[in-house]
Amino acid sequence: MATHLAAFVTGKGQPLEVQEKQTPKPGPDELLLDVKAIALNPIDWKMRDLGFFITKYPVVVGSDISGVVLEAGSNVSSTFKPGTRVAAFAPTVFVQGAPDYGAFQQRPIIPAQNATPIPDYLSFNEAAILPMAVATTWSGWETIGVSRNTSYSPSDKQGLLVWGAASSVGSVVVQSAKLLGFTVYATASSKHHAYIKSLGASKVFDYKDPGVEDAIIKAAKEDGLTFQYGYDAAGAIPSCHTILKALKGSGPAHLASAPRLSPDGPTTDDVETKFVAASPDDKVRHEQFSFWFNTWLKERLEKREIVPSPKIQVLEGGLHGINKGLEILKAGVSGIKLVLEL
C-alpha cells in the first residue's frame, strides 16, 4: 500500500510527530490531494495544545492547504480532474481530527465542496492562505443574516464595520463586504492602513487610538452612513457595540464575532452578537461550502476580485517546521500569514 508523511498530534499538549501513514482512497464526493503549501491558523495550535474539537488520538489537524488533485471520486465534477491545482479547506474541525482529513500531511482527503481551482496567476503559497479566511468570512455573513444576494450601491449609504482588518479573516471580510456593496470602515494598526484601503476599505482607523470609537462615529455621521452590520475579527466586542449602537438604523444591529469570547457574545436590544460558525447540520454545511468555494471564490478569483492577504512569511522545514510555526503564531503575529512549503 502507498504511504506518505503526516504530522500527528499523539496526545493533548504534545508536539507534532512526523510519521508515515497509509495513503487513503477518496470517496465518491472526495479528492485526494498532493499538498504543495500549508498555511497556519490559530485554531491549529489550540487543537494541538488544548485538544479543541478532538475526541481521541492520534489525530492530524490543520485546515489551509493548496496542492494538486491526484484522484477524484466518481461523483466529482470534471472541474477537479487529476492534475488540477486547487486551494482547499481541510475539514479537520468537523471530523475531530480524523487522520485522513487533516491538512498537516502530504496526501489528505478533501470533500470536493471544500475546494476551488487555483488560477494560473496565483502561486500555491498565495492560494493556501485563502480557504480558512473565506470560510470564516462567509460563516459570519450567514450567521448574522447578510444575504448572498446583497448588492448595495454607494447611494444606499450602507456602512459595515470591520474590526481587525489586517488579519487574514479581516482582510477577506473587507474585500467581500466591498463586493457586496457596503461602504467599509475598518480598524488596523496605522502601518497597515494603506494596504487595507487597497483592499476596498473606505476609511481605516487606528484601533490603538483612545478616541477611535468617537472618530468612527463622527466620520460615519458626516458621511451619512447607517451601520446595521459589523464583523469583529479581533475580539473587541464592546467597542463594536458602542459604534453600532450609535450608527444603526431601525431595529437591532448585527455583529459577527470571529474570536469565541463567550457562547454567543453579549446581546442587547440594540446589537445582536453571534459567534461565527458554519452550520452544525452536515447537509446544510455541505451546501454552504459548495457555494463559498465551488462558486463564489472560484468566480471571484477568475475575475481577480479577491486578493490573497495578508503578506506571506514562508517558514522552513515543511512538515517538520510546523511545531516551530505554531509557536510563532501562538506568540502573536500582525499582518502576516505563516506558510510552509511541501
Side-chain angles (χ1 to χ4, degrees), residues 2-225:
T3 63
H4 66 271
L5 293 178
F8 285 89
V9 182
T10 59
K12 182 177 177 180
Q14 298 300 307
L16 301 174
E17 296 182 13
V18 178
Q19 305 171 4
E20 280 200 9
K21 76 176 291 291
Q22 185 173 315
T23 302
K25 296 283 289 183
D29 302 302
E30 298 175 332
L31 307 171
L32 177 67
L33 299 189
D34 175 18
V35 174
K36 300 298 184 183
I38 299 170
L40 302 182
N41 295 285
I43 188 62
D44 301 335
W45 71 257
K46 293 176 182 178
M47 293 185 79
R48 181 195 67 176
D49 294 359
L50 305 174
F52 280 15
F53 303 108
I54 294 172
T55 56
K56 64 179 181 178
Y57 294 91
V59 298
V60 177
V61 301
S63 300
D64 267 344
I65 50 174
S66 63
V68 177
V69 176
L70 289 177
E71 189 176 347
S74 57
N75 294 340
V76 176
S77 78
S78 59
T79 299
F80 298 113
K81 64 181 183 293
T84 303
R85 302 166 73 242
V86 297
F89 183 92
T92 184
V93 169
F94 301 107
V95 297
Q96 291 81 49
D100 288 349
Y101 293 90
F104 294 169
Q105 60 185 311
Q106 294 173 320
R107 306 279 190 273
I109 294 291
I110 301 292
Q113 71 266 12
N114 291 26
T116 197
I118 303 173
D120 291 340
Y121 70 86
L122 282 184
S123 69
F124 284 117
N125 288 354
E126 290 171 318
I129 71 175
L130 283 169
M132 171 68 85
V134 168
T136 307
T137 294
W138 268 103
S139 291
W141 294 148
E142 301 207 8
T143 297
I144 62 173
V146 175
S147 169
R148 298 174 181 179
N149 299 318
T150 298
S151 182
Y152 290 118
S153 66
S155 61
D156 293 318
K157 298 290 186 179
Q158 290 295 315
L160 188 137
L161 174 68
V162 183
W163 200 283
S167 66
S168 59
V169 172
S171 58
V172 172
V173 171
V174 168
Q175 295 181 74
S176 60
K178 175 70 173 178
L179 290 170
L180 292 168
F182 289 101
T183 299
V184 180
Y185 274 30
T187 71
S189 297
S190 56
K191 63 183 178 182
H192 300 308
H193 284 195
Y195 180 63
I196 301 303
K197 285 185 177 179
S198 76
L199 296 178
S202 174
K203 292 183 178 177
V204 188
F205 302 81
D206 190 340
Y207 67 90
K208 290 177 283 192
D209 180 348
V212 64
E213 296 169 8
D214 291 338
I216 292 172
I217 292 167
K218 182 175 183 289
K221 288 182 175 178
E222 289 174 352
D223 289 343
L225 298 173

